[in-house]
Amino acid sequence: ARQIAATCTYIEERLNVVLTGFECAPFAKKGGLGDVMQSLPKALVQRGHRVMTVSPMYHHYDELGEPCGGVHLDVCGTGVDIQYFHHHRDGVDLVFVNHPCFIENAENIYGGSVMDVAWRGALLSQAAIEAIWHVPCGGFPYGTESLVYVANDWHTALLPVYLQAFYKEHFHLGFARSVLVVHNISHQGRSHWDDVWRLGLPDHHTGAFHLDDPMEGQGMNILKAGIEYATKVIAVSPGYAWEISTDEGGWGLAPTIRNDPMKISGIVNGIDFDMWSPEHDTHLQSDGYQTYGTNLEGLWTGKQACKAALQRQLGLPERHEVPVLGFIGRLDEQKGLDLILDSEEYLMSRDIQIVFLGSGRQDLQDRLYDMECRNRDKVRAWIGYSDQMAHRITASCDILLMPSRYEPCGLNQLYAMHYGTVPVVHAVGGLRDTVLHYDGENEGTGWTFERAEVDKFQWALGQALYSFWDHRDSFMGVALRGMHRDLGWDHAAYLYECKLLEAKYAH
């Protein structure tokens, strides 16, 4: 707290911030990065900064007109001409980079080999650096003063390296700084060591890419170089910042993280209340669903109406007294779905209903389908993804299950709490930071378990169900405390602002 307070003595300063990533909702979204690229810039603008996002143009979006500029780049030894398209929304300069490589991968934006993705990331990183000169945002390019670039994950982790190798060493952008946000350290851009020469860097910059991994041997690692070259590194929660510094959670990069611990910090993402709020959620305004306030009356009226509407929509028995459990997420090992599936006997022996939404591994999809077939009066599985159903399940369920084996930040537990849905989570990463275990006396906002094991999951869920059935007032108190937490982007943007200012004055 003291460190943050000291940093924020510079709070009156205004920055030029350029964020870049492969996703930017609502134009392109595969996960949490898309939400961050949409919401964090708006929150920083509200704090008085000038903010640009630079992302690929996978389609010619309706909001875009003609190109506003272009530049010739040398991408990994290949000459490339790109076009910039500009759209101003919510005070943010949305810049899209047009090149055939993005159009060709529009249906699978992370598709291709590591070096295929690295080439697209190299193009986007250089385009983001150059955008300050070539995109006339409102007639006034960003220029070079108080400039901080924010790259996201390994796909744009070349930006800090290129900033140093191609600009600062040639007496350009000497005062620019770079921040790298790590959303998931398990994805690193690993490849054969000889591939480092394909990045087009001078020899003296290649050493940072070298990783001698005890499990996989020597190789090239793009995220490692980005971490070393970035002025600051931000993980998407304080808990995750600690986890990636451990040998168990660092996926081979823990020594790199530990090498400069003052560079690393963690900030939990926020909720965009324009998109996620039970009071004016557009997905709750039809089919019997209702919007509702973040108060006790809302829990007893609107939320109960949503619960009944969900039961009707999915063909479950309409019973207000039964607890409805929800799971929203990828069907894979990381999300801990197997802990739920392995608890089928435990769950089905109790008077509950459970709803799943997600897609992923075929074997897990098959197990979900079989579980539903065996328990048609209690289980529904929606295979695939529907934004409307995600909102409706979040609003309608009593309990949200998030037994993730690791979760860098997690957004679903934040959405759930804001909608009065009590989370039961594995206490890792951002889940540990955001959900306080309720012990019957404290100000808890959910229930947690310490190890990703079936019996530990069942214990935590049992605590929640016991409270729902036998101590409803306590259960409602847990739900209300979650609803009243400050989960928006305002506070997160303030913490980002502090770190960006730290980066500006770092040497």
Side-chain angles (χ1 to χ4, degrees):
R2 287 193 297 272
Q3 181 183 0
I4 290 174
T7 304
C8 287
T9 56
Y10 305 112
I11 208 73
E12 294 301 319
E13 297 197 36
R14 296 297 174 251
L15 299 172
N16 288 321
V17 184
V18 179
L19 298 95
T20 187
F22 270 36
E23 305 174 32
C24 185
F27 304 96
K29 179 181 183 304
K30 293 292 184 181
L33 171 58
D35 293 319
V36 172
M37 285 284 288
Q38 178 185 31
S39 301
L40 176 58
K42 291 193 296 185
L44 289 173
V45 165
Q46 290 169 1
R47 297 191 65 81
H49 303 288
R50 194 178 187 198
V51 184
M52 175 195 298
T53 65
V54 182
S55 57
M57 192 173 84
Y58 298 109
H59 306 279
H60 193 286
Y61 307 115
D62 293 340
E63 295 87 346
L64 304 182
E66 296 298 316
C68 65
V71 66
H72 181 83
L73 301 174
D74 184 335
V75 181
C76 302
T78 301
V80 172
D81 290 307
I82 64 162
Q83 293 176 318
Y84 292 107
F85 287 75
H86 175 249
H87 176 60
H88 193 74
R89 174 190 284 188
D90 297 320
V92 180
D93 291 302
L94 304 175
V95 175
F96 298 92
V97 178
N98 183 31
H99 185 270
C101 71
F102 297 127
I103 305 292
E104 292 164 2
N105 290 275
E107 301 307 315
N108 186 10
I109 64 176
Y110 296 110
S113 69
V114 167
M115 291 310 296
D116 289 338
V117 179
W119 194 91
R120 301 198 299 271
L123 187 157
L124 184 62
S125 297
Q126 291 188 61
I129 294 173
E130 291 279 338
I132 60 165
W133 291 304
H134 300 286
V135 180
C137 301
F140 300 94
Y142 272 48
T144 61
E145 292 186 7
S146 298
L147 181 62
V148 182
Y149 290 98
V150 181
N152 289 275
D153 275 342
W154 81 265
H155 316 97
T156 51
L158 285 169
L159 188 152
V161 184
Y162 286 164
L163 181 63
Q164 179 65 35
F166 297 153
Y167 296 89
K168 293 192 174 189
E169 287 192 356
H170 298 275
F171 306 104
H172 298 294
L173 298 174
F175 293 103
R177 299 292 184 261
S178 61
V179 173
L180 177 61
V181 182
V182 178
H183 300 261
N184 190 336
I185 203 170
S186 67
H187 302 294
Q188 301 177 355
R190 293 187 178 213
S191 189
H192 300 294
W193 170 246
D194 287 345
D195 286 335
V196 74
W197 307 112
R198 297 169 59 184
L199 300 178
L201 288 161
D203 291 357
H204 62 283
H205 288 290
T206 59
F209 292 84
H210 182 264
L211 180 67
D212 190 358
D213 191 289
M215 301 295 291
E216 300 184 19
Q218 297 189 41
M220 179 195 75
N221 190 302
I222 291 175
L223 185 60
K224 175 179 178 288
I227 291 171
E228 291 193 13
Y229 274 77
T231 314
K232 294 289 181 182
V233 176
I234 299 175
V236 289
S237 69
Y240 194 56
W242 173 80
E243 285 181 14
I244 64 176
S245 71
T246 67
D247 293 336
E248 295 81 4
W251 293 78
L253 293 184
T256 303
I257 298 291
R258 292 196 296 262
N259 189 51
D260 190 357
M262 295 303 294
K263 178 188 285 191
I264 314 296
S265 60
I267 300 173
V268 173
N269 294 331
I271 296 175
D272 186 338
F273 292 133
D274 292 336
M275 303 294 295
W276 287 90
S277 173
E279 295 171 298
H280 51 74
D281 192 324
T282 57
H283 299 296
L284 305 182
Q285 297 175 8
S286 60
D287 302 326
Y289 293 86
Q290 291 183 19
T291 56
Y292 55 92
T294 55
N295 50 38
L296 189 60
E297 181 182 358
L299 286 177
W300 281 117
T301 57
K303 190 170 180 65
Q304 295 306 308
C306 290
K307 181 175 178 176
L310 181 71
Q311 290 169 328
R312 287 194 301 272
Q313 182 177 0
L314 298 181
L316 289 167
E318 191 174 329
R319 299 173 56 205
H320 73 274
E321 76 280 3
V322 66
V324 176
L325 284 54
F327 173 90
I328 303 170
R330 291 193 316 276
L331 308 183
D332 62 17
E333 184 179 20
Q334 180 206 333
K335 296 300 181 181
L337 177 64
D338 56 298
L339 299 181
I340 304 174
L341 294 171
D342 291 343
S343 299
E344 179 179 351
E345 182 178 352
Y346 171 88
L347 292 166
M348 295 303 101
S349 66
R350 285 154 176 80
D351 189 19
I352 61 103
Q353 294 174 355
I354 184 167
V355 178
F356 298 89
L357 173 65
S359 62
R361 278 173 36 187
Q362 188 62 49
D363 61 322
L364 295 176
Q365 291 183 184
D366 293 343
R367 288 185 65 187
L368 267 185
Y369 176 74
D370 292 342
M371 182 178 177
E372 178 181 335
C373 290
R374 287 189 294 269
N375 307 278
R376 289 290 301 171
D377 61 331
K378 291 187 173 184
V379 180
R380 288 294 183 273
W382 184 301
I383 303 301
Y385 184 77
S386 163
D387 193 47
Q388 180 186 75
M389 284 308 300
H391 282 251
R392 289 180 169 182
I393 291 172
T394 300
S396 305
C397 287
D398 299 292
I399 297 169
L400 182 79
L401 306 178
M402 289 189 70
S404 305
R405 284 182 166 79
Y406 65 92
E407 194 66 65
C409 178
L411 288 172
N412 286 339
Q413 84 279 11
L414 303 181
Y415 300 149
M417 286 190 287
H418 191 54
Y419 280 67
T421 302
V422 176
V424 173
V425 307
H426 182 205
V428 291
L431 301 179
R432 182 190 297 273
D433 290 324
T434 55
V435 180
L436 176 63
H437 179 79
Y438 180 60
D439 63 7
E441 297 180 357
N442 66 357
E443 296 296 302
T445 55
W447 281 271
T448 69
F449 56 101
E450 292 295 328
R451 293 198 299 275
E453 299 170 1
V454 170
D455 61 326
K456 300 297 188 292
F457 164 68
Q458 292 177 2
W459 174 83
L461 178 56
Q463 296 286 306
L465 293 174
Y466 171 70
S467 296
F468 181 91
W469 283 318
D470 294 347
H471 298 279
R472 184 64 66 88
D473 288 345
S474 295
F475 185 90
M476 300 298 271
V478 174
L480 277 173
R481 285 192 290 274
M483 291 180 109
H484 294 159
R485 285 198 57 192
D486 180 10
L487 300 173
W489 269 104
D490 289 347
H491 182 64
Y494 162 75
L495 297 177
Y496 265 96
E497 179 182 57
C498 294
K499 289 302 172 184
L500 297 179
L501 286 163
E502 280 187 21
K504 176 183 175 179
Y505 288 97
H507 296 289

